[in-house]
Amino acid sequence: MKRLAMIAAVLAIASSAASAQTYAARPITLLVPFAAGGPTDTVARMTAQSMSKLLGQTIIVENATGAGGTIATARAEPGGYTLLIHHIGISTAATLYRKLPYDTKTAFAPIGLVTNAPMTIIARPDLPPNNLAELITYIKANGDKMTFGNAGLGAASHLCGMLFMTAIDKQVLTVPYKGNGPVMNDLIAKQIDLSCDQTTNTTGPIAGKLIKSYAITTNPASPPCPTCPPPTKPA
Ligand code: ASP
């Protein structure tokens, strides 16, 4: 499986950036394209706290969810007072959505990279397989009855799930949510079978045995999740 990670970055609309002298003269809104309680939301709230201290201004974190993150992206405004935190989905949406109300290549100015988090393949706590090889065998036999939760078309979790299904040559029904916060709740509650999510969101539930984990997309030399299984090369 190819390496796929969530790289979250803060972006602003490209035109008319606020001047350095006056910035930030009023509160800033940081748009989060996914639901509260998920990895992007977690990173956004931590970033907002630090930004707020540095700028001496209030940062309002607003979750504007839906359509794989494109709804929040479409709401970003010029002027530097409405910022957006996003990941790989800002690039992939342009190829997955027929008509976006913005031109991804020219509409935004990157402000900074915030984090680079690996993805983990995870499952409800009572899914029978105990390792990746067993999981693949299990999905091949039972995949028609299984569900794979994700954060919407074009979200990192969606891409990761599709990549995994392509790699094992078996499709599983995908269930789109507004973010990995609600996906995680349903996984823990055994309402869905599988998901693929950033370690930002999965390390705690894996360590607490609230969910099962089968694989991680990261460099074995620097494991960010000691309780996750080591990376496995596909056969
Ligand atoms: N980062 C997640 C994804 O794209 C969504 C979220 O943060 O809730 O899969």
Side-chain angles (χ1 to χ4, degrees), residues 37-159:
T40 313
D41 180 70
T42 301
V43 170
R45 284 172 200 279
M46 291 169 83
T47 308
Q49 247 182 16
S50 307
M51 277 175 71
S52 176
K53 266 195 212 132
L54 285 169
L55 293 167
Q57 233 346 316
T58 305
I59 315 268
I60 303 151
V61 176
E62 194 185 322
N63 301 81
T65 62
T70 56
I71 288 181
T73 311
R75 272 199 41 200
E77 282 170 24
Y81 286 90
T82 303
L83 309 180
L84 170 73
I85 184 161
H86 213 325
H87 57 31
I88 187 171
I90 198 161
S91 320
T92 50
T95 65
L96 295 170
Y97 288 79
R98 227 167 246 141
K99 199 164 163 30
L100 291 175
Y102 51 85
D103 178 348
T104 314
K105 281 200 249 155
T106 55
F108 307 98
I111 298 172
L113 180 67
V114 180
T115 184
N116 182 350
M119 306 294 292
T120 38
I121 293 175
I122 50 175
R124 61 179 160 86
D126 57 349
L127 200 77
N130 287 315
N131 56 48
L132 185 61
E134 283 180 25
L135 177 69
I136 294 169
T137 308
Y138 186 85
I139 295 176
K140 287 199 172 184
N142 303 287
D144 295 342
K145 304 181 283 251
M146 294 175 77
T147 47
F148 209 125
N150 65 46
L153 180 73
S157 48
H158 175 234
L159 301 171

Side-chain angles (χ1 to χ4, degrees), residues 6 34-35 38-41 87 151 155-158 178-181 196-198:
M6 177 181 86
F34 299 104
T40 313
D41 180 70
H87 57 31
S157 48
H158 175 234
K178 292 190 169 172
N180 282 106
C196 191
D197 195 4
Q198 290 88 44

